[in-house]
Structure formats: C-alpha cells, structure tokens
Amino acid sequence: MGSETGAGKNYLYNNQDFDLSIDVFSQVSSKLLDDDGRPKRTGTAWTASAHIITAVIGAGVLSLARATAQLGWIAGPVVMFMVSFITYYTSTLLAACYRSGDPVNGKRNYTYMDAVRSNLGGFEVRICGWVQYLNLFGVATGYTIASSISMMWDTLKAPPSESKTMKKATLLSVGVTTFFYMLCGCTGYAAFRDLSPVNLLTGFGFYNPFWHLDIANAAIVIHLVGAYQVYCQPLFALVEKTASEKFPDSKFTTKDIKISIPGFRTYNLNLFRLVWRTCFVMITTLISMLLPFFNDIFRLLGALGFWPLTIYFPVEMYISQKKMPKWSTTWLCLQVLSIACLVITIAAAAGSIAGIVLDLKSYTSFSTGY
C-alpha cells in the first residue's frame, strides 16, 4: 500500500514538472515567436517609413524639374500633391489587406501576391506577378509605394495591428517623398525655367564643379545598389525555389558550401544562387547600357506599374475584403477613382512611347546622349 502511494506521488510530481516545462516553453516561445511560428517581428512605423522612403525615392527625381517646367508653377505642384494624396489613400486600402478577414487575428498575407490570391485569385494573380517582375527593371526610378508597403508588411510587430502601423508609416513616407519631389521639381524649375534639363546631372550643358557632380552620382549609385538588392529578392526567391523543386537531387541547386569567416558566423554559399544572380545582374546591366533614352523607358515602366499595383489591385482587394455591395456610394467612388487613374496611366504610357519612337531615330548603342 505504501509503495503504491509513493508511486502515485512520484507520478503526480512528474506530471506537475511536465506541465511546468510546457508553461515555461510556451512563455519562452511567445517571446521569441509570433502567432504564426515565425521569429518575433520588431518593425515599427519609423522603420517601415524609412524603408519605404529609401525605396521609393529614386533617380527619377532628376527629371522632375523638366516635368514641372512643362506643367508650370500652378499645375506642376497641384499634380504632384494630387498624385501623392491618391497614392496615400490607396496605400491605406492596401494596408488593410495584410490580414484576411479579421484585421487583428485574420490569416496573414505575407506578400502582395498572397493578398491578391486571398482576395481576388486566379487570373489577377498572374497579371500581378507579371507587372511586379516588369517593374523590377524600373527600380532605378523608385518603386511604387504600394509594392514597398507589401514588403514592409511582414516585418511589423503587433500590437497595434499591422494595418494601423502601416497607415502611420504610409502617411509619414508619402509626406517626406512629396517634400523631396516638390523640392527637386520646383527648385530645378526656378533655376533653369523653360530650359530645365531632362536629367539634372547631365542635361544642363556644363559640369563644373566636377567634384559636386561626382558626389551626386556616387550617392545615386549607393542608393540604387541597395534598392536593386531589396527589390530583386522576390524574383530571386521565385527562381531559386522553382529550381530546387524541379531538381531536388541536384547538388548544384540545393547544396550549400559552408565558408568559415573569422569573426563572423559561417557563410552558406550556394553555387546556383551565385551563378544565376550574377548572370541576372550582368544581363540587366547590359540592357540598361543599351538604352540611352533613360527617362522615356522608365516613364513607360512607371506608367505600366502605377495603375495596376497602386490603384487597381488595392481598390479591388479592399472592396472584396469589406464585402462592399456593388453600386453603393463607396463602391462607385472607388471605381471612378480607378477609371480616372487608368486614363491618366494610358496617357502617360502613350507619351512615353512617343518619346521612345523619337529617341530611336537618333539611337546609338552605349550612348548617354539625348
């Protein structure tokens, strides 16, 4: 009888120790992992806005003085403010689509395409994919804020909800980028008036002091190298994931070579990743060198990406997310906004194509002239 009582006590103690271990593990896990099992996210509105600002402001600002000169002192700033406000508004719609259903506990959409798949699906997903990859080649002009937001989604900590944090980050980043756009456009126009160049660093006819232009060009290179790395990651991930799935037994695609670096952690080198990414960078660099008409090409890419990524998909996903009835007042207003921006996009694309046709008449390979 005594031995049975002792065994029961030991069982009780062991069971309590087991429960205690589970509680400790749960507490540690909750501190290290988020609700989806991924490492704890630490992003804030400040870090998100910093990423968006550095990603969106690109070399395209160099042509804003010329654009302002063509529109004038009234229409130029008004158009910039109007586009900024529309971008901010549609970006808040996109921010609301990070989680499907409940904004706090709903299913996470880790990428822009995940959000499109959850809310729209099918054909729209393929269209979205092609537009996003097309815009990788337009990274030098500054990526759309909508695409930047989708990349910041999955780094934000909660609470507060990711949508609230992203809305704050969007307001801050749009405000800062609009200030810089106005600064570049208006000061450039004030300095050169109707002779404002297409490219502020190359188009005004004189290059003294040389050191000043060298610093400006070096700053652009530093900025775009980082932006290029960030926004090529989705394409890199897609190709590498596809290769590893199709050739799971190939050491070239799946094996990592561990390289010890003194003072740092071991670096995993994948040969396929090294070869394919190097070839991609070489090819895209060669293509960019073959295109002397910088502004018209990237205006076209910007126009092709603006309406789908910044307007159409955020609007349609928000309508689907909120289960908005057709022909309601809000639904009609959103559709009018989408159609108006589509018309503007078509006009911008037509103007860019006309510019490319004119450029081709005086085309010279590997030339930077205009």
Side-chain angles (χ1 to χ4, degrees):
M1 186 73 177
S3 60
E4 290 179 0
T5 303
K9 288 182 178 180
N10 288 334
Y11 174 79
L12 179 61
Y13 291 149
N14 291 336
N15 199 34
Q16 289 176 339
D17 290 342
F18 179 73
D19 291 339
L20 180 61
S21 299
I22 292 178
D23 291 339
V24 171
F25 177 77
S26 299
Q27 292 176 6
V28 172
S29 298
S30 65
K31 292 181 180 180
L32 299 178
L33 302 175
D34 267 333
D35 56 353
D36 59 348
R38 296 195 177 191
K40 201 78 173 178
R41 295 165 175 84
T42 58
T44 64
W46 290 104
T47 59
S49 59
H51 280 84
I52 294 171
I53 291 167
T54 54
V56 170
I57 298 179
V61 299
L62 298 175
S63 63
L64 285 176
R66 180 63 177 171
T68 306
Q70 291 174 328
L71 293 172
W73 278 118
I74 297 177
V78 167
V79 167
M80 274 195 268
F81 274 119
M82 182 180 69
V83 172
S84 296
F85 176 77
I86 291 173
T87 300
Y88 165 71
Y89 177 69
T90 56
S91 296
T92 60
L93 302 184
L94 179 63
C97 298
Y98 173 60
R99 290 183 183 266
S100 297
D102 186 78
V104 177
N105 300 312
K107 175 184 174 293
R108 295 175 185 265
N109 296 307
Y110 297 108
T111 65
Y112 195 113
M113 290 186 67
D114 283 347
V116 175
R117 187 178 293 108
S118 292
N119 292 283
L120 302 177
F123 178 71
E124 285 87 350
V125 174
R126 292 191 289 273
I127 296 297
C128 180
W130 281 109
V131 173
Q132 282 193 303
Y133 295 137
L134 175 66
N135 272 265
L136 287 173
F137 295 96
V139 71
T141 62
Y143 221 62
T144 62
I145 288 181
S147 296
S148 305
I149 286 174
S150 70
M151 301 192 79
M152 295 307 108
W153 269 346
D154 205 34
T155 65
L156 299 178
K157 64 181 180 181
S161 66
E162 296 87 353
S163 61
K164 289 183 178 179
T165 302
M166 188 50 71
K167 287 177 182 178
K168 292 180 182 178
T170 301
L171 179 61
L172 179 60
S173 57
V174 169
V176 172
T177 54
T178 302
F179 171 75
F180 275 104
Y181 290 164
M182 293 291 292
L183 193 65
C184 291
C186 294
T187 56
Y189 180 37
F192 298 102
R193 307 297 294 180
D194 291 338
L195 298 177
S196 297
V198 174
N199 188 326
L200 277 177
L201 294 184
T202 62
F204 47 75
F206 58 92
Y207 301 96
N208 284 320
F210 288 104
W211 63 268
H212 187 267
L213 291 178
D214 290 340
I215 291 175
N217 280 297
I220 290 175
V221 170
I222 292 171
H223 171 80
L224 292 183
V225 164
Y228 190 89
Q229 286 295 321
V230 170
Y231 287 105
C232 283
Q233 293 308 311
L235 179 60
F236 289 161
L238 174 67
V239 173
E240 289 154 16
K241 179 182 178 182
T242 303
S244 62
E245 290 174 351
K246 287 194 173 184
F247 307 101
D249 299 326
S250 172
K251 293 183 178 180
F252 179 68
T253 58
T254 59
K255 184 180 179 181
D256 287 337
I257 301 174
K258 298 187 179 300
I259 300 177
S260 299
I261 304 176
F264 298 92
R265 63 181 181 180
T266 302
Y267 178 75
N268 294 322
L269 175 65
N270 182 280
L271 290 180
F272 173 74
R273 189 183 303 133
L274 174 66
V275 172
W276 128 251
R277 293 189 182 191
T278 302
C279 291
F280 176 82
V281 172
M282 291 172 63
I283 292 171
T284 53
T285 302
L286 178 63
I287 292 173
S288 65
M289 292 171 66
L290 284 168
L291 300 176
F293 24 96
F294 170 89
N295 288 282
D296 290 322
I297 289 291
F298 288 110
R299 280 185 194 135
L300 178 60
L301 292 174
L304 293 176
F306 172 72
W307 181 73
L309 297 179
T310 307
I311 308 297
Y312 175 75
F313 285 119
V315 165
E316 293 301 320
M317 286 191 292
Y318 184 78
I319 289 174
S320 174
Q321 179 96 320
K322 299 299 180 182
K323 296 180 173 56
M324 197 176 295
K326 282 188 176 182
W327 309 112
S328 63
T329 302
T330 306
W331 185 89
L332 281 172
C333 290
L334 289 173
Q335 295 301 328
V336 168
L337 172 65
S338 182
I339 292 171
C341 290
L342 174 61
V343 172
I344 294 172
T345 295
I346 293 173
S352 300
I353 292 171
I356 292 172
V357 171
L358 291 175
D359 288 331
L360 285 172
K361 293 180 179 179
S362 57
Y363 172 76
T364 304
S365 298
F366 300 102
S367 170
T368 58
Y370 291 90

